[in-house]
Amino acid sequence: MLERISHLGYAVTDIEAAAAFYRTSFGVEPGESEPVEEQGILATMFRVGESSIELVQPTRPDSPVGKFIARRGQGFHHVAFEVRDLEASLAELKARGVDLIDSEPRIGAGGMRMAFVHPHEVFGVLTELVESRGTGTH
Amino acid sequence: MLERISHLGYAVTDIEAAAAFYRTSFGVEPGESEPVEEQGILATMFRVGESSIELVQPTRPDSPVGKFIARRGQGFHHVAFEVRDLEASLAELKARGVDLIDSEPRIGAGGMRMAFVHPHEVFGVLTELVESRGTGTH
């Protein structure tokens, strides 16, 4: 079911400082950070192999990522795995009794179809599934 | 500098339960778990694309992973990025003033040359660098 690691989400308090650090120290190329209003975040990504690292800064303390940082501090927030057919994957997981945050696909950043699995099912790791856009498009 | 995500380390309290869950729910194939005595852990891995997920269960509460779980609970523990030349990468990071846990390469699980960067430098994400074994061997 899991084709590749699509991305890791890192929660940070200062996205410009984090992007500058990764650019300078590790030679990666984060893009301009962009607001995602409905999630209350600024986000940017950089590529590592077939995966990406997404840096996410909350723009409101009451946003999910804002609350996460207040509770746990900066750090790893979630992993996203690519699957070929998100609806089929969610149906399989539901049939096996796996508790899902999103029982149906929803549209995430960049227009991707995605859904979250409950972290208590996956041993404390907030886990997202994102649908592949087909060969050659990523 | 960063070639790919080599692996993500997940800290779990019951490696057999975690491996069985991932096998059944996500169709992956973790190997037999094996003890790494000097780190006080049992570990197993499964492949996702060009990366792996490493499940790690402490065998002693005073091991680093045992203390991590006592403090933070189960969940994401570290990310490991592959680099081509670990000594050169560490030298570059030191020259830029990046604080390293391991200023020289050491030998990790599976005989890989690896080193950890201090999590406070990388915005709270415990970050490992592992040396590539050359094209075609992974």
Side-chain angles (χ1 to χ4, degrees):
Chain A
M1 182 188 295
L2 309 178
E3 302 293 324
R4 67 178 172 111
I5 297 175
S6 162
H7 63 271
L8 308 182
Y10 289 3
V12 300
T13 53
D14 182 342
I15 197 168
E16 298 308 332
F21 174 84
Y22 274 98
R23 189 179 294 116
T24 307
S25 301
F26 292 115
V28 296
E29 291 297 338
E32 287 290 299
S33 64
E34 292 186 5
V36 185
E37 289 297 346
E38 66 277 19
Q39 294 179 41
I41 56 169
L42 288 172
T44 186
M45 284 190 146
F46 59 86
R47 195 88 187 165
V48 178
E50 67 181 14
S51 306
S52 296
I53 306 293
E54 181 181 31
L55 302 173
V56 177
Q57 176 195 318
T59 53
R60 307 187 297 260
D62 64 337
S63 64
V65 178
K67 289 182 195 165
F68 174 89
I69 289 180
R71 205 170 59 242
R72 311 263 316 194
Q74 298 187 98
F76 173 90
H77 180 259
H78 69 278
V79 59
F81 294 111
E82 186 180 281
V83 298
R84 281 200 196 147
D85 180 334
L86 182 56
E87 262 161 4
S89 297
L90 295 177
E92 271 185 61
L93 292 172
K94 276 185 273 190
R96 290 177 187 130
V98 176
D99 201 5
L100 303 172
I101 293 177
D102 303 299
S103 58
E104 301 297 331
R106 61 187 173 93
I107 304 301
M112 292 166 92
R113 284 158 55 86
M114 48 74 73
F116 276 105
V117 180
H118 253 296
H120 69 76
E121 285 283 13
V122 274
F123 310 91
V125 179
L126 181 59
T127 300
E128 179 182 347
L129 302 178
V130 300
E131 189 163 83
S132 161
R133 289 172 171 184
T135 313
T137 61
H138 52 261
Chain B
M1 183 187 295
L2 309 178
E3 301 294 322
R4 65 179 174 111
I5 296 175
S6 162
H7 63 271
L8 309 182
Y10 289 4
V12 300
T13 53
D14 182 341
I15 196 168
E16 298 308 330
F21 175 85
Y22 275 98
R23 188 179 294 118
T24 307
S25 301
F26 291 116
V28 296
E29 291 297 339
E32 287 291 301
S33 64
E34 292 186 5
V36 185
E37 290 297 345
E38 67 277 19
Q39 294 179 43
I41 55 169
L42 287 172
T44 186
M45 285 190 142
F46 59 86
R47 195 89 186 164
V48 179
E50 68 182 14
S51 306
S52 296
I53 306 294
E54 181 181 31
L55 303 173
V56 177
Q57 175 195 319
T59 52
R60 307 187 297 261
D62 64 339
S63 63
V65 178
K67 289 181 194 164
F68 174 89
I69 290 180
R71 203 170 60 240
R72 312 264 315 194
Q74 298 188 97
F76 173 89
H77 181 259
H78 70 277
V79 60
F81 294 112
E82 186 180 280
V83 299
R84 281 200 198 148
D85 181 334
L86 183 55
E87 262 161 5
S89 296
L90 295 178
E92 273 186 59
L93 292 172
K94 277 186 273 189
R96 289 175 187 133
V98 175
D99 200 5
L100 304 172
I101 293 177
D102 303 298
S103 58
E104 302 296 332
R106 62 186 173 95
I107 305 301
M112 292 167 90
R113 283 158 56 85
M114 47 76 71
F116 276 105
V117 180
H118 252 297
H120 70 78
E121 284 283 12
V122 274
F123 309 91
V125 179
L126 180 58
T127 300
E128 178 183 346
L129 302 178
V130 299
E131 190 164 81
S132 161
R133 290 173 170 183
T135 313
T137 61
H138 52 261

